[in-house]
Each structure stands twice: as C-alpha cells, then as structure tokens.
Amino acid sequence: LFRSDANCVSLDMSKVTDLPVTLPWLSGNRIVYVAQDVNLTNANVVRGDSCSRLTLTPDGGDFRPMRAFAAHQAELTLDVDEYSFVMVPFNASVPAGTEVYVVTSELGLELTDTILAHTPVVIKGQGTVTIKGSGNVSYRSLALSAMFRGVYVESSRRIGDYVLDCQDGRWGFRRITSATVLNPFGVYAQLSSKESFIPLQGDVLKVDLFTRPKAEQTVYDLMGRKVVGGNLSPGIYIINGRKVVVR
C-alpha cells in the first residue's frame, strides 16, 4: 500500500522491530520514521528525530512528512533551463554555477547568497542542479494570500494564476488559461492583473551595479564589516541598507 498509494507519503514504523537492513519499497519523496536504535541504509529514513540523508526530486511524488525532523544532509535535485522558481523545505546554500534570487513585490529580482526554508526563490542555471543543505525539515503551506506560493505536493492550478515562463526572449509571469498541474517544490504567483504575460522588472536583475562607492554611501560586506574607500571587488554588498551586486 505504501508503495502503490500515491497519497501515502509518510509512514511511522517507530514501534516496529526486526526491520531489514534496507527498505526496497521506500522510494521518491516518501518518509519513513523508525526507532532511534534501528540501523537502515536508505535515504529518507528518520531515526528518532533525525535523518542522515534526505533526497528529494520534483517528480518523486508528494513531500508531506507527518512531523518535523533534523537532516544531517538534505538535497533537492531538479532540472533548470535558465530559470526555475522553487521552494525547498530546508535551509540551503546556493549551488555552484548558479545564481539565486528572491522576487520582490514589484516583480524584480534581488540576488541572495542563501536559500531559506519555505521561501520561494528563482534559480538561474542550466542543466541538472542539486540544492544542498541541512538542519530542520518540515512541511509548510504558505498563506493563500501570499503573492508567491510554493507547494510540496502536486497541485492543480486555477485559471488566472501565474507561473514563471519565457516569452519572446523575456522572462516573466504567464497567466494560466487552462487547468494545469504544478509539481512538488514548484512556485506560482497570484497577481492582481489579467495581463497574459508580465515581464520581470529589469528582466534579469533588479540590483545596482557599482564600481566605486560614492562618498555619501555607507558600504558593508555580508559579514557586517564596513568597507572604506577604493574600488569594490566583485561580490554582494549592503549599500545604504540595500543589497547590491558588484560586477
């Protein structure tokens, strides 16, 4: 039943004894809870309240653990074709070879150096990308009133919702005109508009490019250290309270 029923995605076996070394029927994004002293080699097994290795994919089925747990190693692997709008259930680092952005309420992109759990982000990259992190893992449903809503279960999208898409070489949000399905870890937008396509502001980035800070500007690096004078090396800075990327 656990393998054949798509709605059965979390199983509590913490009271079961004499379990085998592996669980061959455990696959996809399903989670199994076992007792702390059970030694299993499978990924996605929670021993007590911790998981040695959590592996997730958008096509692995619904991710809906019955209770939160700590993961020593967690990863979500997905295919990215230039841009992908995703949400992950754990804190993670920016994958090598990619750039990650949060989308502002004005539909601009702001570069970020971390991926926070349950926070929709846009990943810029190409090919197979693995988002790696650790720490607390849980299921969360974002408020229905949120402009950007990520899902951890396969969801039907309604006419009028928006999804990230590319049209005529520009990236933005396309209005859905027929029923569609959003895979787990995907994100959609609810916008106060009836436009068929709304481009991202600045299309690629909504950040300022600096080569030298002006005299009246206060500049800090991401460690909170004040930067004084001279040209800024490439990187991300906080300038007058605003996150800025320097090329």
Side-chain angles (χ1 to χ4, degrees):
L1 176 63
F2 187 67
R3 181 166 51 185
S4 60
D5 186 353
N7 295 314
C8 188
V9 295
S10 185
L11 182 64
D12 189 352
M13 301 183 68
S14 58
K15 303 299 183 182
V16 178
T17 58
D18 298 324
L19 287 170
V21 177
T22 64
L23 303 176
W25 41 263
L26 177 57
S27 62
N29 298 327
R30 293 181 171 94
I31 302 296
V32 170
Y33 296 83
V34 300
Q36 179 66 51
D37 58 353
V38 172
N39 184 21
L40 284 170
T41 60
N42 299 76
N44 298 11
V45 171
V46 180
R47 297 171 54 193
D49 58 2
S50 65
C51 176
S52 297
R53 184 166 54 96
L54 176 70
T55 61
L56 305 171
T57 62
D59 59 357
D62 293 349
F63 176 72
R64 196 170 63 247
M66 63 179 63
R67 59 179 180 270
F69 57 89
H72 298 292
Q73 176 184 327
E75 57 184 46
L76 170 67
T77 301
L78 68 159
D79 292 326
V80 178
D81 186 7
E82 192 170 357
Y83 287 98
S84 185
F85 207 6
V86 301
M87 184 175 77
V88 296
F90 49 85
N91 292 333
S93 303
V94 173
T98 71
E99 294 177 345
V100 176
Y101 307 89
V102 293
V103 184
T104 69
S105 57
E106 295 80 21
L107 301 188
L109 295 179
E110 291 187 352
L111 194 66
T112 180
D113 60 343
T114 58
I115 300 174
L116 298 179
H118 315 302
T119 302
V121 295
V122 172
I123 295 181
K124 181 181 180 182
Q126 194 67 49
T128 301
V129 172
T130 300
I131 303 172
K132 297 182 179 181
S134 61
N136 190 62
V137 179
S138 63
Y139 174 86
R140 181 181 298 179
S141 179
L142 299 185
L144 290 174
S145 59
M147 179 179 291
F148 308 110
R149 299 196 72 236
V151 299
Y152 293 140
V153 299
E154 185 178 285
S155 304
S156 298
R157 298 293 6 108
R158 300 175 299 177
I159 295 174
D161 290 336
Y162 285 80
V163 293
L164 188 67
D165 197 9
C166 183
Q167 292 190 6
D168 299 324
R170 296 200 69 185
W171 281 88
F173 290 94
R174 173 178 54 84
R175 191 171 189 265
I176 296 173
T177 57
S178 60
T180 186
V181 174
L182 189 65
N183 284 337
F185 314 108
V187 180
Y188 69 96
Q190 295 178 314
L191 308 177
S192 301
S193 174
K194 292 187 178 180
E195 295 291 332
S196 60
F197 184 76
I198 305 175
L200 287 167
Q201 300 301 313
D203 198 19
V204 177
L205 293 175
K206 192 180 181 183
V207 293
D208 296 324
L209 303 182
F210 286 74
T211 57
R212 181 185 295 272
K214 298 177 182 178
E216 67 273 15
Q217 290 174 332
T218 303
V219 183
Y220 294 89
D221 63 18
L222 291 179
M223 299 297 292
R225 297 171 297 202
K226 189 172 184 179
V227 179
V228 180
N231 290 337
L232 296 179
S233 301
I236 305 172
Y237 298 86
I238 306 299
I239 299 180
N240 289 349
R242 184 182 180 189
K243 187 176 290 185
V244 172
V245 61
V246 175
R247 299 294 192 187

